[in-house]
Amino acid sequence: MESAYPGMRVYLANNLMMAYNQAEAAQPVFAFVEDGFTKLPEFEMMMALFSAIDTRWVSVMDTQGATPARKSSPLLDVGAGIFELTKADHPSQFAQYFDMMVNAPRRSPRTAARATASGPAAAAGGSRKLILIGSSTGGVEALRSILVGFPFDCPPTLIVQHTGKNFGSGLVSLLDRICPARVRAAEDGIPLEPGYVYIAAGQRRHMGLSSRKPLRLRMKEGPDISGHTPSVDALFTSAVPYGKDVVATILTGMGQDGARGLLDLRKAGAKTFAQDEKSSVVYGMPRVAWDIGAAQQQVPLARMASTLLQASRA
């Protein structure tokens, strides 16, 4: 391989966290992934990172003819389709896939969002409202889709995402990479500011709003709420006193975390939404929210960013 690809560097990882860190630092052109890794819930983070840094990947399966846990990414812009490999494949087939991935054109480097996000179309319109988001399974990609459409001066946005305990900082870094606004990990006592997105993920504390002025984050230890820490219900419930200044949504995810809190917010005057079934990876949390009347409207993921921003200006 060295003669065919001079200067090529190969990174090996025996766990998903190591693979994530290496990929984030090296931004590889392509990756072979053991199919067992793709079965882990946290692989959602890996797929989002691969998409953000334009890395193609294929899964390597132990058993020939088995059904893969997840489909590999297409090789961009070359019409090569989707490949699944088995360890029994001949080395020449691997070389073929190497050729296709190495030679496939990469996307142009993304212009720095914060440098280009300006002007009337990108402005948040001086909104004084808060945007609250809760998500779980499938939520990483949903958050990417939404936050890339948020302007640099978006309303303070608070997000609870269910994820593995080791992936919270990676999620913050990933979203900050693609979002015009600043994305930071939730910390106790920090004031809420326009142009910032605050993420609670992989922590053993619930995120909420303090009663102090100006509004600040409150991170509080405690038992699971609705089966989770951090909990979407905990965040939504803490915002009920400010209901008329809140826009809230529940995205794709298993279970019902956030549904009751969203209902309380709606009763308090908040504008409330839920992701629709068709665009949800798992139509669990948004379904419960819709069924109990917590969400005023179901919204496709492609329209969620504009819906939240428009509601925050009203």
Side-chain angles (χ1 to χ4, degrees):
M1 297 302 294
E2 288 184 2
S3 59
Y5 306 102
M8 183 180 72
R9 299 187 65 184
V10 177
Y11 297 85
L12 300 176
N14 57 15
N15 64 69
L16 197 56
M17 190 73 246
M18 180 187 296
Y20 186 94
N21 291 337
Q22 289 181 346
E24 186 176 34
Q27 299 191 26
V29 174
F30 58 86
F32 286 110
V33 183
E34 170 64 46
D35 189 58
F37 280 174
T38 73
K39 294 179 173 69
L40 301 174
E42 293 82 2
F43 191 71
E44 180 186 1
M45 280 281 296
M46 201 82 211
M47 289 194 296
L49 178 64
F50 284 162
S51 178
I53 63 178
D54 192 18
T55 295
R56 300 112 193 169
W57 64 276
V58 291
S59 62
V60 181
M61 297 163 56
D62 288 320
T63 305
Q64 194 165 11
T67 301
R70 299 180 192 260
K71 288 196 171 182
S72 306
S73 60
L75 306 187
L76 302 178
D77 302 322
V78 295
I82 297 174
F83 296 97
E84 306 297 338
L85 307 181
T86 72
K87 289 179 177 176
D89 282 336
H90 191 274
S92 64
Q93 292 177 281
F94 282 90
Q96 173 191 356
Y97 296 135
F98 269 112
D99 283 335
M100 298 183 81
M101 288 189 282
V102 167
N103 295 322
R106 302 195 84 179
R107 293 192 299 260
S108 299
R110 189 168 182 264
T111 304
R114 295 182 186 108
T116 59
S118 60
S127 170
R128 298 175 59 185
K129 298 203 173 172
L130 302 173
I131 295 177
L132 310 182
I133 301 175
S135 52
S136 186
T137 309
V140 174
E141 188 59 34
L143 291 174
R144 285 186 67 246
S145 175
I146 292 170
L147 293 182
V148 75
F150 269 34
F152 71 97
D153 60 348
C154 69
T157 300
L158 285 64
I159 297 173
V160 170
Q161 164 68 40
H162 301 158
T163 191
K165 65 179 182 179
N166 294 323
F167 285 85
S169 61
L171 178 62
V172 171
S173 175
L174 173 64
L175 295 178
D176 191 54
R177 181 193 296 271
I178 57 93
C179 182
R182 302 281 180 179
V183 180
R184 64 178 298 183
E187 298 175 26
D188 189 53
I190 57 177
L192 303 184
E193 302 178 62
Y196 279 85
V197 176
Y198 306 91
I199 306 278
Q203 303 183 32
R204 287 306 304 168
R205 295 184 298 173
H206 296 291
M207 177 169 66
L209 296 175
S210 72
S211 57
R212 297 158 55 189
K213 296 286 186 173
L215 283 180
R216 297 175 180 270
L217 290 185
R218 181 198 66 211
M219 305 301 294
K220 186 176 181 180
E221 294 183 357
D224 288 354
I225 297 174
S226 302
H228 295 278
T229 301
S231 163
V232 182
D233 268 326
L235 171 62
F236 287 178
T237 301
S238 75
V240 167
Y242 316 100
K244 292 182 179 180
D245 293 323
V246 170
V247 176
T249 188
I250 290 181
L251 305 179
T252 173
M254 251 178 235
Q256 58 184 13
D257 186 23
R260 288 291 174 186
L262 194 71
L263 180 61
D264 290 341
L265 279 173
R266 182 177 183 180
K267 290 177 179 177
K271 293 181 173 66
T272 59
F273 305 94
Q275 187 174 345
D276 71 350
E277 181 174 7
K278 186 175 181 180
S279 67
S280 294
V281 174
V282 178
Y283 188 57
M285 288 160 52
R287 177 189 62 77
V288 176
W290 181 251
D291 286 349
I292 67 173
Q296 295 167 289
Q297 181 183 347
Q298 295 192 89
V299 180
L301 180 59
R303 296 211 318 264
M304 186 62 78
S306 60
T307 296
L308 296 175
L309 291 170
Q310 184 176 359
S312 73
R313 300 184 189 111

